[in-house]
Amino acid sequence: MTINHTKIMSVQNERVKEWVQLLERRGRDKQGKYLIEGYHLVEEALRAGAQVETIIYSLDKGVPDGLAEQAIGYVEWIGVSQAVLEKCSDTQTPQGVLAIVTRPRFGMDELLAEGVDLAVVLDGVQDPGNLGTIIRSADAVGAKAVILGRGTVDLYNPKTIRSTMGSMYHLPIIEADLGLLLPRARERGVRLVTTSLQAQRSCYDTDLRQPTWLILGNEAKGVSPEVAAQSDVQVIIPMQGKAESLNVAMAATVLLFEASRQRLF
């Protein structure tokens, strides 16, 4: 592939100012784009056919080996100075390659039309690392979607993106109003399962083989009363030790792998 080399050396360049805006949610929402950093993430985005618009690389290091061959369709390539890289990076030591990606258009209607039989629904999860880990676990068991309710941390936060380790490109992740989505899912035969420390039923005694959406809540407050009221069953993860509870990402992982175990075995 022939790459048309454009160079930008100054942090005052208007394109650079646009890219810097993508480090904040307001800028991402305004532009409908987000920024990813590092060879692995850019490679995963290209492999998955994400709408990679621009690849920004270090002029000192050159075009990263192997990326050009994976770019399908038109991708703009821009070589930049170290100063520009640092300006656009969320990390202390930029890895030498960034990409600007258009956010996918995938919403509630498309999700319901596909008949998602195993999904994770997050109601107000705040920590980027927790969201990233949950997405990786959902990817690992072959779940069909991750649904982010209002109040959940932004998927396109650079910390969230890094913590997904590329799994965000392997399954649909949508933002939705749970008050509207969950009743529609139930009408289509989905069983809504929430976690609760007060629940009487163990997750291991609950049939998770039918179409199931696992709902997990905020790290401190759990699932909101409004969302909990929509659930069909509340379950608890039994613990023999003295820990009061599990981290939300760990709880999601346990439930996802239990659903997977029941379906496989």
Side-chain angles (χ1 to χ4, degrees):
M1 175 182 290
T2 301
I3 297 176
N4 295 321
H5 290 274
T6 303
K7 297 181 182 179
I8 295 178
M9 306 302 289
S10 171
V11 295
Q12 299 303 320
N13 184 283
E14 289 303 314
R15 294 292 301 277
V16 176
K17 292 178 181 178
E18 288 181 6
W19 300 336
V20 171
Q21 290 177 4
L22 299 178
L23 295 173
E24 302 293 335
R25 185 165 193 164
R26 183 185 301 177
R28 295 189 289 270
D29 290 344
K30 178 182 176 183
Q31 296 186 37
K33 304 171 187 176
Y34 63 97
L35 189 151
I36 58 176
E37 180 173 359
Y39 183 95
H40 173 68
L41 272 172
V42 175
E43 181 182 46
E44 284 293 329
L46 291 171
R47 276 183 181 167
Q51 291 180 276
V52 177
E53 178 184 288
T54 305
I55 294 179
I56 303 155
Y57 63 92
S58 165
L59 283 169
D60 293 340
K61 297 180 180 178
V63 176
D65 291 339
L67 285 186
E69 290 77 6
Q70 296 185 51
I72 299 172
Y74 176 76
V75 178
E76 180 184 33
W77 296 78
I78 300 180
V80 299
S81 64
Q82 184 65 21
V84 170
L85 270 181
E86 291 176 0
K87 186 76 173 176
C88 299
S89 174
D90 184 61
T91 61
Q92 290 186 338
T93 53
Q95 297 183 42
V97 60
L98 306 164
I100 309 300
V101 189
T102 301
R103 285 162 63 155
R105 296 181 181 276
F106 191 91
M108 288 195 296
D109 293 338
E110 292 92 341
L111 183 76
L112 292 168
E114 288 195 359
V116 176
D117 72 331
L118 179 61
V120 184
V121 180
L122 302 179
D123 178 27
V125 170
Q126 292 286 294
D127 183 79
N130 283 338
L131 175 53
T133 300
I134 291 167
I135 290 169
R136 288 169 67 186
S137 294
D139 179 21
V141 303
K144 301 304 182 187
V146 176
I147 300 153
L148 313 180
R150 289 179 179 171
T152 298
V153 64
D154 184 14
L155 169 64
Y156 302 107
N157 177 317
K159 292 184 176 66
T160 307
I161 290 174
R162 282 198 299 276
S163 66
T164 71
M165 297 290 287
S167 284
M168 63 183 286
Y169 294 115
H170 301 161
L171 74 171
I173 304 169
I174 73 160
E175 298 176 354
D177 182 333
L178 300 184
L180 297 175
L181 176 61
L182 297 182
R184 293 178 64 187
R186 187 189 288 109
E187 288 171 4
R188 287 162 174 75
V190 171
R191 193 182 198 194
L192 304 176
V193 177
T194 56
T195 54
S196 170
L197 293 175
Q198 286 73 48
Q200 301 300 310
R201 182 183 294 195
S202 160
C203 62
Y204 304 122
D205 296 328
T206 303
D207 186 354
L208 302 176
R209 292 171 297 177
Q210 60 187 293
T212 300
W213 288 10
L214 303 166
I215 306 173
L216 294 106
N218 176 268
E219 288 86 346
K221 301 174 184 175
V223 177
S224 66
E226 298 79 16
V227 171
Q230 304 246 24
S231 68
D232 297 303
V233 59
Q234 294 190 337
V235 300
I236 191 169
I237 299 171
M239 295 183 289
Q240 281 69 53
K242 296 181 180 179
E244 288 185 7
S245 63
L246 291 177
N247 165 287
V248 65
M250 295 171 65
T253 300
V254 170
L255 292 172
L256 282 163
F257 275 87
E258 173 58 16
S260 176
R261 184 195 66 79
Q262 290 185 18
R263 290 157 188 241
L264 290 172
F265 306 109

